[in-house]
Amino acid sequence: MNERDGDNKNGVELRVSMLIRKSLSFGIAAMVFALGVASYADEETEDSPFAIVSAEGPPPSPHVMGWIDSRNLESLNGSWKFLVDPMQVGTPGSLFGGWATTRAPENAYQLIEYSYTDAVDIRVPGDFNTQLDELLFYRDTVWYQRHFDADLTQSGRYHLWFGGVNFETTIYLNGHAVAHHSGGYVPFSVDVTEQLQANQNDLVIRVNNRLGADTIPTERTDWWPYGGLTRDVMLVHTPSAFIVNASIRLSDDRSTLSGNIKTSGMSLGEEVVISLPELNLRVVTAIDDSGTARFSIPADVELWSPATPRLYDVLITSKSDRIYDRIGFRTIETKGTRILLNGEPIKLRGISTHEEPIGRDGVAYSRSDMRELFSEAKQLGANFVRAAHYPYSRHAAKVADELGLLLWEEVPIYWNINWQNPETLEIARDQVSRLVERDWNRVSVVVWSVANETQFSQPRMAFLKRLIDDIRSLDSSRLISAALLGDTERELQHVAAHLAAYGLESDIPSEAEKQIFRQVLSEARENTPELHGRFNLVITDPLGDLVDLVSYNEYFGWYYAPFIANQTGVSERTLRKLMLEFMPNVTLGSVFNKPMFISEFGAGAKAGKRGEGVWTEDYQAEVYRAQIKMIVNSPQVQGMTPWILKDFRAMLRTLGGIQDFRNRKGLIDENGRRKEAFRVLQDFYASEWSVENP
Ligand code: GCB
């Protein structure tokens, strides 16, 4: 035994005796727990092949490893072993010694209270909530395990690459905690060259999908917070000197291609070559002292657009490395209240989505899932998709590039965020920069959205400004937006006053209801705008100053009537009927000289339910008709993404027989059955409103 071992042993013994003494006052269970901790600590010698460096592990590489599909990869997708751990007993240091490695009893007397060998199988990628019935609502710790071999005959570096893990994870390779990451949905990688073995690598991943007041998103979301290894897992081999990531874009005047190539291990002055064979372009550049190579070259490219989704082969090579992708080029900008794609005005005929496939439960994780979902958007006549409310897998933007769909990508800063917590801000900044670094070459992506329906406050402004500044410094070639909420209380008061005035002229309300309307009007405050038959809803949220596209979520025809009914006592039926008639008299605008965008409107309908009233396809279709009239009457509005393409799972939606934990605002149901409103929107998108658009 060498001196260091001796020291360790004494240290362990001291800890054991202190823990036992402490535990006596708490009884046997506490003592067993103390021994559990101590025996785990005993394994923490550096000589042990399964030494745990720390329970949490270091952060992953700070930058996204880009161009991933062109690299030397071994997929670690497939069947993994899976353990559920609601009591956190697998956490290293616990009573059971932690589950960070695969262990089996050495003899009949050894007590080990977990086994990966006998555990259930689970598919990666994919959420765990919908793979095992009992886990649908589960929000806590789980463990994944698999073995893999690595070909260590090649020199260079090995990296574990994760497309996204929801929501907090520690990666253990051969017993070492090699990385810890918080914040789901975005890719990260870690260099594991030092920990990798040729045979039988033991990869164990702890995932916790619990969300709280300080996480992003927070606990309360109107979508399913699918947990687990929801995206691809891969072992990537690179040379020692390698290209980490690269961005390439077209200049605003559409004359020049320029970009940055970020490298690791390359020396100053080393050559990097960028080529676009179809354009006969080849640029030679060199690494600067920050390890980055930059280039800029005149180019006459065929522009990408929804009508002509032209992509080019782009190759980047160095002495030791080579990466490749298919990339398109276009410009997007705003001019006053217009949006210009490739210098031409465009209206965004959009639809919102969640990352769920058609006809199967759970998260959409494959390219074909995304192709099927986005093809349905194409069938609708859309040229734009709002990928709400979080980053999707990398496949989404690739499919959109190919199909010719413009894309809005978003981070899950949704409803109530703890704006004042610096750790929450760090998670958000990490999500934003990883999303941008992953998709900055995706021509389809034209909007980065930093938030959805967040209430005004100074801390919120500071938080979101930080994110917007981060994005602008990483990528200035796209529009920034946020789905705003407006001043809901004031707006509802105005809407109520307008409906009252309108209702007095109508046959719909009863005499008693008209009496209430008179009362509402006489009580209408001074700040109610003139009741001249039109209602101009004007967005004033100061966040509008910081974004390029002023987006607004509104639910005329769906949510507003029950609120007003509760306040006034007028029946919801009357209010809904009046509202649908009144909506064409509403104009949506903002105080900013910027394009406005309706990022949500919608109504719930159960597919196949026909007739009168809410939840019917007929009512949903009526809401769409009225919304369309309202939007056509709003000159500042340059596009929209109604809520939503497909019914989606949501814990908020409990109504049995109708919702059954699904939000029913889809234009198609979960199996792809189209509702009447699909046809209404499809007809509109084929109409004159969008005729000049590509
Ligand atoms: C919203 C939210 C969205 C919800 C939707 C609804 O405003 O942005 O996440 O799912 O309303 O259906 O209420």
Side-chain angles (χ1 to χ4, degrees), residues 222 389 414 452-453 553 555 559 600 643 653 663 665:
D222 192 20
H389 281 301
Y414 182 88
N452 181 76
E453 296 184 353
N553 293 354
Y555 279 90
Y559 287 127
E600 284 180 33
W643 195 253
R653 309 296 170 173
N663 184 314
K665 295 190 188 72

Side-chain angles (χ1 to χ4, degrees), residues 499 517 561 564-565 570-579:
L499 282 185
F517 281 149
I564 299 172
V570 174
S571 79
E572 200 173 319
R573 179 180 179 279
T574 298
L575 289 167
R576 285 191 181 281
K577 286 188 176 284
L578 288 176
M579 184 72 94

Side-chain angles (χ1 to χ4, degrees), residues 54-225:
S54 91
E56 290 285 85
S61 306
H63 295 289
V64 169
M65 182 182 280
W67 303 56
I68 194 71
D69 292 303
S70 68
R71 295 183 188 258
N72 184 4
L73 305 169
E74 185 188 331
S75 168
L76 298 178
N77 290 345
S79 184
W80 289 53
K81 291 294 180 186
F82 183 77
L83 296 175
V84 184
D85 185 16
M87 294 289 164
Q88 320 294 322
V89 288
T91 304
S94 82
L95 167 60
F96 297 95
W99 300 352
T101 55
T102 304
R103 297 172 73 209
E106 282 161 21
N107 55 54
Y109 292 92
Q110 191 179 6
L111 178 66
I112 295 180
E113 292 200 56
Y114 74 98
S115 163
Y116 285 117
T117 317
D118 302 319
V120 294
D121 296 311
I122 197 148
R123 187 198 60 241
V124 173
D127 62 284
F128 59 73
N129 299 99
T130 57
Q131 291 194 60
L132 297 167
D133 286 347
E134 64 274 27
L135 294 187
L136 185 59
F137 292 92
Y138 184 76
R139 304 177 86 163
D140 219 307
T141 300
V142 299
W143 294 79
Y144 289 76
Q145 183 275 344
R146 66 162 289 163
H147 288 126
F148 69 93
D149 294 339
D151 174 9
L152 296 186
T153 54
Q154 314 173 68
S155 66
R157 316 284 321 163
Y158 290 85
H159 316 255
L160 281 173
W161 189 95
F162 297 85
V165 183
N166 293 0
F167 294 98
E168 190 237 323
T169 188
T170 308
I171 317 293
Y172 300 94
L173 181 61
N174 298 325
H176 299 270
V178 292
H180 176 260
H181 186 252
S182 282
Y185 303 113
V186 286
F188 62 90
S189 61
V190 54
D191 186 326
V192 292
T193 315
E194 307 310 326
Q195 294 84 9
L196 205 63
Q197 300 165 179
N199 300 316
Q200 275 282 315
N201 285 284
D202 186 27
L203 181 56
V204 173
I205 300 182
R206 185 188 64 86
V207 186
N208 190 310
N209 70 328
R210 201 188 304 133
L211 294 167
D214 297 291
T215 54
I216 293 188
T218 56
E219 192 174 7
R220 208 175 148 84
T221 61
D222 192 20
W223 72 87
W224 215 266

Side-chain angles (χ1 to χ4, degrees), residues 388-508:
H389 281 301
Y390 41 77
Y392 294 8
S393 77
R394 71 188 190 292
H395 304 302
K398 287 205 159 190
V399 167
D401 278 8
E402 290 164 5
L403 289 180
L405 277 171
L406 296 155
L407 204 59
W408 155 312
E409 295 200 326
E410 183 166 338
V411 286
I413 297 181
Y414 182 88
W415 293 352
N416 301 310
I417 293 287
N418 190 347
W419 307 115
Q420 317 247 33
N421 183 342
E423 283 170 25
T424 309
L425 177 62
E426 279 319 302
I427 296 175
R429 296 186 67 195
D430 181 76
Q431 270 176 337
V432 160
S433 65
R434 288 181 185 279
L435 172 62
V436 173
E437 287 184 6
R438 189 194 68 188
D439 282 353
W440 54 20
N441 295 322
R442 297 283 72 88
V443 65
S444 53
V445 180
V446 288
V447 177
W448 303 119
S449 174
V450 293
N452 181 76
E453 296 184 353
T454 53
Q455 300 270 0
F456 174 76
S457 73
Q458 277 310 338
R460 172 257 210 174
M461 290 297 287
F463 189 105
L464 294 178
K465 178 165 188 323
R466 178 80 246 197
L467 298 185
I468 290 171
D469 290 347
D470 282 357
I471 295 178
R472 293 210 194 275
S473 71
L474 283 170
D475 171 37
S476 58
S477 68
R478 292 171 169 89
L479 309 180
I480 294 183
S481 195
L484 305 179
L485 194 56
D487 182 346
T488 315
E489 211 181 307
R490 190 195 56 180
E491 275 149 25
L492 274 178
Q493 272 175 19
H494 292 175
V495 172
H498 278 276
L499 282 185
Y502 186 81
L504 285 177
E505 310 288 313
S506 157
D507 292 339
I508 296 170

Side-chain angles (χ1 to χ4, degrees), residues 626-685:
Q627 281 279 356
I628 286 167
K629 287 183 192 148
M630 186 167 81
I631 285 165
V632 167
N633 285 343
S634 304
Q636 215 174 331
V637 174
Q638 300 304 312
M640 58 184 193
T641 44
W643 195 253
I644 184 170
L645 181 60
K646 187 184 80 70
D647 290 353
F648 59 97
R649 276 200 181 273
M651 293 186 193
L652 274 183
R653 309 296 170 173
T654 59
L655 177 64
I658 300 280
Q659 294 176 318
D660 302 310
F661 294 106
R662 285 183 205 274
N663 184 314
R664 291 289 177 200
K665 295 190 188 72
L667 295 178
I668 59 177
D669 76 0
E670 63 272 33
N671 296 315
R673 174 172 177 178
R674 290 182 182 172
K675 305 178 193 173
E676 185 59 26
F678 187 100
R679 281 172 279 276
V680 174
L681 190 59
Q682 196 177 35
D683 287 349
F684 177 58
Y685 282 164

